[in-house]
Amino acid sequence: MHKLTQKEVFKGLNLENIDFYLLDTVDSTNTFAKQRLLNKEFLVVISEQQTSGRGRQGKEWYSPDAGNIYMTIKFKDKNPAPLSLIIGLLISEAMDSASGQKINAGLKWPNDLLINKKKICGILIESEINADEVEFIVGIGINYSLPKKELWWGEIGELKDILPREKLINSILRGIISYKENGYQNWVDAWEKRCMHMGMELKAVLNNQLKAEIGIFNGINEEGMMLLQTATELKVISSGECSIKGIY
Ligand code: BTN
């Protein structure tokens, strides 16, 4: 299988601002990035395989050496918008710009990307406080091919000719670099346009709470919180997951 090369991944990017590691295997690109200092503006870690890939909520992220994307970008972010939702939006946009087509990967709150109702990308954002500054460790997993399958796991193998992974990684990096420099005006509108469950009924499961809320998804606010119209009130939900009938 064609391995990722520095030349393709970082094409046109200024490596004076980027420290990077292209690895064959690692426990987790997030763990690896956490253990390293941020000496330049960005630290990028990419691996062909992970032996202990981590998902959200302590779950495992299945990470075979199968031509998927396992990458982590570490940087400081002073923009006010919630990074977690922004990253999902930037990846959905990067898929369109890298392929030159409207792939329209749908966003599912807070930051999953879905194609054909299945999850094709997961994002795990961690943070560390270093000398009063917050460093974000943004982990991105995108599946092209999964030898093992779960019902909700999707893959984008059929897009690999129009969306080769080195091109997609390059576009994602460009998006994040540009966001760090310039922020993102009207990101709420852009996020809602790409959201695949606007106006739909869903069940929101709140973090650290056993309680779930059912209601109509009414979009998000400037902090990225979910606005959920339940039978009795408009609830603002800050963190958690959501599930929608018929969709992973
Ligand atoms: C999720 O549960 O949806 C988030 C999955 C995040 C997976 C990526 S793969 C690269 C990075 N390293 C990890 O260990 N996890 C993230």
Side-chain angles (χ1 to χ4, degrees):
M1 192 191 307
H2 177 72
K3 276 196 200 173
L4 293 167
T5 64
Q6 171 189 338
K7 200 170 144 218
E8 291 167 333
V9 167
F10 297 101
K11 193 171 173 186
L13 300 178
N14 182 359
L15 286 178
E16 274 173 22
N17 299 333
I18 307 174
D19 257 342
F20 67 89
Y21 294 84
L22 287 184
L23 308 170
D24 284 335
T25 186
V26 70
D27 50 357
S28 147
T29 54
N30 266 34
T31 309
F32 186 92
K34 262 193 196 173
Q35 292 160 345
R36 270 153 195 89
L37 288 177
L38 188 61
N39 293 320
K40 295 188 182 176
E41 210 175 333
F42 296 93
L43 170 67
V44 176
V45 182
I46 302 175
S47 185
E48 294 289 343
Q49 181 196 21
Q50 298 184 115
T51 52
S52 306
R54 295 189 283 114
R56 283 202 304 264
Q57 298 173 327
K59 290 187 199 141
E60 181 205 357
W61 185 258
Y62 178 54
S63 309
D65 182 0
N68 297 322
I69 295 177
Y70 314 113
M71 72 187 286
T72 297
I73 304 136
K74 175 162 156 174
F75 59 99
K76 293 173 194 150
D77 179 30
K78 295 199 172 67
N79 289 307
L83 193 59
S84 139
L85 275 78
I86 290 278
I87 295 293
L89 170 61
L90 295 178
I91 297 173
S92 180
E93 290 179 346
M95 293 179 86
D96 290 0
S97 64
S99 66
Q101 300 188 20
K102 287 220 168 301
I103 306 278
N104 281 332
L107 297 171
K108 176 168 167 284
W109 189 87
N111 61 15
D112 288 336
L113 267 80
L114 274 67
I115 291 184
N116 297 332
K117 300 184 182 166
K118 295 200 180 198
K119 171 162 165 172
I120 52 101
C121 168
I123 299 166
L124 174 68
I125 302 189
E126 302 176 282
S127 58
E128 279 193 334
I129 302 188
N130 252 329
D132 294 339
E133 285 185 308
V134 184
E135 292 174 357
F136 291 93
I137 294 121
V138 177
I140 301 168
I142 300 177
N143 291 324
Y144 279 77
S145 131
L146 291 169
K148 195 168 90 182
K149 305 257 188 279
E150 297 271 350
L151 221 66
W152 51 277
W153 289 355
E155 51 186 47
I156 54 169
E158 59 191 40
L159 299 177
K160 73 173 184 303
D161 291 337
I162 56 165
L163 197 56
R165 59 185 181 142
E166 54 279 5
K167 234 175 149 180
L168 179 53
I169 293 174
N170 187 275
S171 279
I172 293 172
L173 290 173
R174 280 170 194 269
I176 293 176
I177 292 168
S178 151
Y179 164 72
K180 184 175 185 290
E181 316 280 283
N182 313 311
Y184 195 133
Q185 297 297 311
N186 302 324
W187 73 272
V188 170
D189 282 352
W191 193 93
E192 289 182 345
K193 277 205 186 93
R194 284 175 185 266
C195 172
M196 40 78 59
H197 52 68
M198 287 293 290
M200 283 168 71
E201 186 180 84
L202 55 75
K203 187 164 92 181
V205 186
L206 318 188
N207 266 359
N208 312 320
Q209 286 184 34
L210 295 172
K211 230 179 101 198
E213 298 278 355
I214 293 180
I216 304 291
F217 183 80
N218 248 342
I220 53 172
N221 66 14
E222 286 286 331
E223 281 100 62
M225 296 175 189
M226 172 194 298
L227 307 175
L228 190 71
Q229 183 65 57
T230 69
T232 52
E233 60 183 320
L234 184 69
K235 289 224 167 212
V236 181
I237 295 174
S238 61
S239 64
E241 302 275 324
C242 69
S243 64
I244 308 157
K245 263 201 199 104
I247 296 171
Y248 119 75

PDB file of all heavy atoms in Angstrom, residues 200-202 243-247:
ATOM      1  N   MET A 200     -34.831  17.883  12.944  1.00  0.00           N
ATOM      2  CA  MET A 200     -35.230  16.478  13.127  1.00  0.00           C
ATOM      3  C   MET A 200     -35.380  16.137  14.601  1.00  0.00           C
ATOM      4  O   MET A 200     -34.768  16.761  15.468  1.00  0.00           O
ATOM      5  CB  MET A 200     -34.172  15.545  12.510  1.00  0.00           C
ATOM      6  CG  MET A 200     -34.260  15.483  11.000  1.00  0.00           C
ATOM      7  SD  MET A 200     -32.834  14.670  10.255  1.00  0.00           S
ATOM      8  CE  MET A 200     -33.089  12.988  10.702  1.00  0.00           C
ATOM      9  N   GLU A 201     -36.177  15.101  14.868  1.00  0.00           N
ATOM     10  CA  GLU A 201     -36.303  14.660  16.257  1.00  0.00           C
ATOM     11  C   GLU A 201     -35.087  13.834  16.627  1.00  0.00           C
ATOM     12  O   GLU A 201     -34.643  12.993  15.843  1.00  0.00           O
ATOM     13  CB  GLU A 201     -37.560  13.820  16.436  1.00  0.00           C
ATOM     14  CG  GLU A 201     -37.778  13.479  17.894  1.00  0.00           C
ATOM     15  CD  GLU A 201     -39.016  12.630  18.127  1.00  0.00           C
ATOM     16  OE1 GLU A 201     -38.927  11.399  17.994  1.00  0.00           O
ATOM     17  OE2 GLU A 201     -40.066  13.215  18.452  1.00  0.00           O
ATOM     18  N   LEU A 202     -34.537  14.087  17.797  1.00  0.00           N
ATOM     19  CA  LEU A 202     -33.409  13.269  18.246  1.00  0.00           C
ATOM     20  C   LEU A 202     -33.392  13.133  19.753  1.00  0.00           C
ATOM     21  O   LEU A 202     -34.147  13.790  20.470  1.00  0.00           O
ATOM     22  CB  LEU A 202     -32.090  13.850  17.731  1.00  0.00           C
ATOM     23  CG  LEU A 202     -31.723  15.294  18.031  1.00  0.00           C
ATOM     24  CD1 LEU A 202     -31.272  15.472  19.463  1.00  0.00           C
ATOM     25  CD2 LEU A 202     -30.607  15.733  17.101  1.00  0.00           C
ATOM     26  N   SER A 243     -28.514  10.883  19.445  1.00  0.00           N
ATOM     27  CA  SER A 243     -28.803   9.770  18.538  1.00  0.00           C
ATOM     28  C   SER A 243     -30.126  10.014  17.824  1.00  0.00           C
ATOM     29  O   SER A 243     -31.047  10.636  18.364  1.00  0.00           O
ATOM     30  CB  SER A 243     -28.803   8.434  19.286  1.00  0.00           C
ATOM     31  OG  SER A 243     -29.828   8.415  20.223  1.00  0.00           O
ATOM     32  N   ILE A 244     -30.156   9.546  16.594  1.00  0.00           N
ATOM     33  CA  ILE A 244     -31.294   9.822  15.717  1.00  0.00           C
ATOM     34  C   ILE A 244     -31.756   8.476  15.164  1.00  0.00           C
ATOM     35  O   ILE A 244     -30.921   7.657  14.758  1.00  0.00           O
ATOM     36  CB  ILE A 244     -30.859  10.724  14.546  1.00  0.00           C
ATOM     37  CG1 ILE A 244     -30.144  11.966  15.082  1.00  0.00           C
ATOM     38  CG2 ILE A 244     -32.033  11.130  13.674  1.00  0.00           C
ATOM     39  CD1 ILE A 244     -29.223  12.609  14.086  1.00  0.00           C
ATOM     40  N   LYS A 245     -33.060   8.284  15.132  1.00  0.00           N
ATOM     41  CA  LYS A 245     -33.595   7.006  14.623  1.00  0.00           C
ATOM     42  C   LYS A 245     -33.099   6.705  13.215  1.00  0.00           C
ATOM     43  O   LYS A 245     -33.132   7.568  12.350  1.00  0.00           O
ATOM     44  CB  LYS A 245     -35.126   7.064  14.603  1.00  0.00           C
ATOM     45  CG  LYS A 245     -35.743   6.430  15.802  1.00  0.00           C
ATOM     46  CD  LYS A 245     -37.198   6.045  15.537  1.00  0.00           C
ATOM     47  CE  LYS A 245     -37.906   5.862  16.859  1.00  0.00           C
ATOM     48  NZ  LYS A 245     -38.788   6.958  17.220  1.00  0.00           N
ATOM     49  N   GLY A 246     -32.623   5.529  12.989  1.00  0.00           N
ATOM     50  CA  GLY A 246     -32.214   5.114  11.639  1.00  0.00           C
ATOM     51  C   GLY A 246     -30.840   5.578  11.228  1.00  0.00           C
ATOM     52  O   GLY A 246     -30.350   5.248  10.168  1.00  0.00           O
ATOM     53  N   ILE A 247     -30.216   6.389  12.094  1.00  0.00           N
ATOM     54  CA  ILE A 247     -28.888   6.907  11.769  1.00  0.00           C
ATOM     55  C   ILE A 247     -27.974   6.476  12.888  1.00  0.00           C
ATOM     56  O   ILE A 247     -28.350   6.624  14.066  1.00  0.00           O
ATOM     57  CB  ILE A 247     -28.922   8.441  11.642  1.00  0.00           C
ATOM     58  CG1 ILE A 247     -29.817   8.806  10.460  1.00  0.00           C
ATOM     59  CG2 ILE A 247     -27.518   9.018  11.491  1.00  0.00           C
ATOM     60  CD1 ILE A 247     -30.125  10.255  10.346  1.00  0.00           C
TER      61      ILE A 247
END
